[in-house]
Amino acid sequence: MKKGKYIVTGVLVSVLVLGAASCGTQGESDSKPAQTERTEETETPAADGAQTGGHASRLLSLGDYRGLSYTDESGREPTEAEVAEEMQAILAWFEDGELTDAWVRENLELESVEAFRENTRESLREVYDQRAWKASAAELYGAVIAASTFELDETEVSTERNDYLYAYQQMAEAAGMSYADYVPEATGMTVEQFETEAGASAEQVICVELVAEAIAEKEGLSAEDAYDEIAAQIVEEEGFDSVSDFEASAGGRGAVMEEVRYRLVARFLMEEGTGMPQSADSGNAAAEQ
């Protein structure tokens, strides 16, 4: 059961999870450890020939990206309290919502309260697994970015910053919230703090896209070939009516192609890497969110 459309691309998830950490620039490269796999002074066109936005910024060296370890928090079971809370939240959508078999049959098309409970539990499992996958993807991209160096174009960063702020305005609208209320809830920062750090966040967005393009090029990963499959997956997860609906909300096929490439490369990084089970402490922390 969807709670509405949240236009949250993988790139934005990376920024949310990693924080507004600046990418390593050419001037910082001397302090970084040597990498065994590097693409020296090279630009990185997409392997599938799709339009990628024509970055003025460049990836100067690509750090190691195979065999990385990452945190895998998938498979977390919702607690009884979480299930009960979600059920009550669903009932609150209705003016006359009540937890009875008769009401559930009539309004939710489920056979009983117990069926409603199991349906909610399964929905939460899916949500938790989606969150875990996105967090793992963001962690892996962060590791590659930290080991890479970039030459960032100031004009592109400024433009990306404005687009980044606009994306949050869209997300606020999609969530039925004001921008002033949405930003603290989504980021844990005040609007002033968020907009101050938006420049670093814009750098992060550019670096993620450059790394995704570079790895896709080196490994022959075609976002065009994977487009229908991954776009359909996003539509299902995020509650859009169709791929065309998602494209319209995201800003066109080119914007969705970036998200498809992001997920395609993230999938590759996970397949080539080693997922480490969550610790007891991280599991408890996740349960409290």
Side-chain angles (χ1 to χ4, degrees):
M1 297 181 183
K2 305 292 184 183
K3 289 188 175 181
K5 300 176 185 176
Y6 291 81
I7 309 169
V8 184
T9 67
V11 175
L12 288 178
V13 168
S14 283
V15 176
L16 282 170
V17 173
L18 297 172
S22 297
C23 307
T25 62
Q26 187 174 24
E28 297 172 287
S29 60
D30 291 342
S31 64
K32 294 186 178 297
Q35 302 299 319
T36 58
E37 277 191 320
R38 302 169 71 90
T39 53
E40 297 295 338
E41 299 292 328
T42 180
E43 295 188 42
T44 54
D48 51 52
Q51 183 176 352
T52 62
H55 289 291
S57 301
R58 294 191 302 153
L59 172 63
L60 300 181
S61 66
L62 178 63
D64 291 340
Y65 59 86
R66 288 176 174 268
L68 300 176
S69 297
Y70 63 94
T71 306
D72 180 5
E73 297 186 350
S74 61
R76 182 169 80 82
E77 281 292 316
T79 66
E80 292 302 322
E82 289 169 337
V83 173
E85 181 180 359
E86 182 68 9
M87 291 171 69
Q88 289 300 322
I90 293 169
L91 290 178
W93 299 347
F94 301 86
E95 291 184 3
D96 61 344
E98 58 182 47
L99 201 58
T100 64
D101 289 344
W103 190 93
V104 165
R105 277 194 296 271
E106 180 178 354
N107 294 275
L108 302 181
E109 299 181 356
L110 295 169
E111 288 301 313
S112 64
V113 169
E114 187 56 32
F116 177 30
R117 192 182 315 280
E118 289 309 307
N119 179 274
T120 304
R121 191 186 311 278
E122 181 59 30
S123 294
L124 285 175
R125 287 192 191 107
E126 293 176 4
V127 168
Y128 293 165
D129 279 347
Q130 289 166 17
R131 287 180 185 170
W133 191 93
K134 290 176 180 178
S136 295
E139 182 181 347
L140 284 163
Y141 270 103
V144 179
I145 287 170
S148 303
T149 54
F150 305 83
E151 183 180 83
L152 298 178
D153 179 82
E154 291 184 8
T155 299
E156 183 175 28
V157 171
S158 178
T159 300
E160 188 64 47
R161 177 186 181 276
N162 292 336
D163 290 346
Y164 181 67
L165 295 176
Y166 178 64
Y168 274 84
Q169 292 168 8
Q170 284 188 306
M171 287 188 283
E173 182 179 347
M177 300 172 65
S178 69
Y179 174 74
D181 290 336
Y182 181 81
V183 166
E185 181 171 308
T187 69
M189 293 183 281
T190 67
V191 171
E192 291 75 18
Q193 290 171 328
F194 173 71
E195 293 188 349
T196 296
E197 297 191 14
S201 298
E203 292 182 6
Q204 186 80 22
V205 168
I206 294 169
C207 292
V208 167
E209 291 177 353
L210 288 171
V211 163
E213 291 168 12
I215 295 174
E217 171 72 11
K218 286 173 68 71
E219 299 297 334
L221 303 174
S222 172
E224 186 68 49
D225 290 347
Y227 188 88
D228 290 343
E229 174 205 346
I230 295 180
Q233 177 188 352
I234 298 169
V235 165
E236 173 63 23
E237 289 180 3
E238 305 297 341
F240 290 94
D241 296 328
S242 64
V243 172
S244 59
D245 180 32
F246 176 40
E247 289 173 343
S249 297
R253 182 181 173 89
V256 175
M257 188 68 75
E258 290 286 359
E259 173 68 6
V260 168
R261 183 178 293 106
Y262 174 92
R263 292 194 179 209
L264 181 64
V265 170
R267 183 189 298 173
F268 172 83
L269 293 175
M270 290 181 201
E271 290 171 353
E272 293 294 320
T274 303
M276 308 298 290
Q278 66 178 7
S279 67
D281 288 342
S282 64
N284 292 336
E288 293 172 0
Q289 291 179 353

